Amino acid sequence: MGLTDVVRRVTRAFNPLEPVNMGLLLSGGGARASYQAGVLKYLGEAFPTMRFPILTGVSAGAINAAHLGTHSGDLKECTERLVDSWLEISPGDVYQSESSISWAKNYLFKRSRDEPDITRRAFLETSPLRDYLMRKLSDGTGRLAGVETRLASGFLQALAIVTTNYTTGQTVTWVQGSDIERWERPNRVSFNTSLTIDHVMASTALPLIFPAIQIGDAYYGDGGIRLAAPLAPAVHLGANKVLAISTRYARSRAEADEPQFVGYPPLGQIFGLLMNSIFLDALDQDALMMDRINALLDELPRRKRLGLRPVELLVLRPSVDLGRLASEFETTVTGPLALFSRLFGRSKSPDWLSMLLFENQYVTRLIEVGYTDAREQHDRIEGFLEDSELPPRSEAHLAELDGPGHNS
């Protein structure tokens, strides 16, 4: 133990911080969310008694958050079941599996009683995903099983699932929890409710690719579409520490400057950039804003902080480019994905494919990468989970509840 660590421990003994209220944020990325399952599996093995009383999920991360919120047992048991669920999944469990010719024919020409228009509401039909989630997460009524029990026992404080209201354009966070106060911000609101499979389906409804889900009188889609501050729900729910698991690979300067294609940009490259901007980039921007607020608050006495409070953040992310990893499987895809691949063109890092590639080989690989990444970050994770003191500024971030400067 170095001198700095000794000074910090002595300082904390005389100036104890508020009790730790740990939040877990699981971001989006479609099939990439299987990477989060690998990270969580290692956390369960290394820290089986660790508890995340505040769970927030966005897009495909909502599936993982809902799984942790519904299943009983310690973290090790929950994460083992989560990994098993991902290993069982296949494209046919997510969307209707058919040949590319059948898909094109049905999409362009098939009429149904429910759909008077010749085109369907989205490129892929996700009724199989609903059936899969009903088997895995529901009590048979459509509600998320086990959440009420875990809330009553105090093991869980809140489970939040983020969606986008297509009718109003607002980001809506649906929360099931104990003594939760609603919040309203520009284009962002929350509602207290009993969470259902519909909320999870809505949060995972990739725009244009998966159909919107009706909740009440409105239709909802993926929660990442307009979510500029993905850390905000956990902060509103009272977290003063947030562990965020991103599915975005942080490219080096040299990697960022490397061309992904030659000539005019293929549709797949453009679509992948759009998907990244929606689902992956916002977390990094939000973390940067928190870091800047932290720097400002370092210069202010507590009485002048205008409602700001410290929130320690640790972001875990892939050590490899998951989009580039998906390119290894591009020639093996069948059905609609094969047709999309031909239409979109080839690139070195097909990010669009990485979000839709629910093939077992790819999912298994992502789980392995997540597990290995977490294991290699063990010391950093251990310090974050066990030590309630704020770390140096490069790893500590502060978020705002009501003051200016951050969209909490």
Side-chain angles (χ1 to χ4, degrees), residues 6 156 187 248 317 329 376:
V6 173
L156 182 67
N187 291 320
R248 180 182 182 275
R317 64 177 70 253
F329 303 87
E376 293 181 351

Side-chain angles (χ1 to χ4, degrees), residues 15-85:
N15 299 280
L17 300 176
E18 61 182 301
V20 171
N21 203 13
M22 185 73 70
L24 177 65
L25 166 63
L26 300 172
S27 63
R32 292 186 181 200
S34 56
Y35 170 84
Q36 297 171 345
V39 173
L40 290 167
K41 183 176 188 296
Y42 180 77
L43 294 183
E45 290 180 3
F47 313 100
T49 60
M50 182 61 210
R51 185 169 65 92
F52 295 98
I54 297 174
L55 299 172
T56 61
V58 184
S59 189
I63 295 178
N64 293 337
H67 184 102
L68 295 179
T70 57
H71 288 80
S72 60
D74 61 19
L75 187 61
K76 185 176 187 296
E77 295 172 316
C78 288
T79 55
E80 285 177 347
R81 285 195 291 263
L82 175 61
V83 168
D84 288 342
S85 294

Side-chain angles (χ1 to χ4, degrees), residues 326-347:
S327 67
E328 299 177 13
F329 303 87
E330 191 167 5
T331 59
T332 65
V333 297
T334 59
L337 293 192
L339 180 59
F340 291 169
S341 182
R342 291 194 292 270
L343 292 174
F344 285 167
R346 300 291 297 272
S347 68

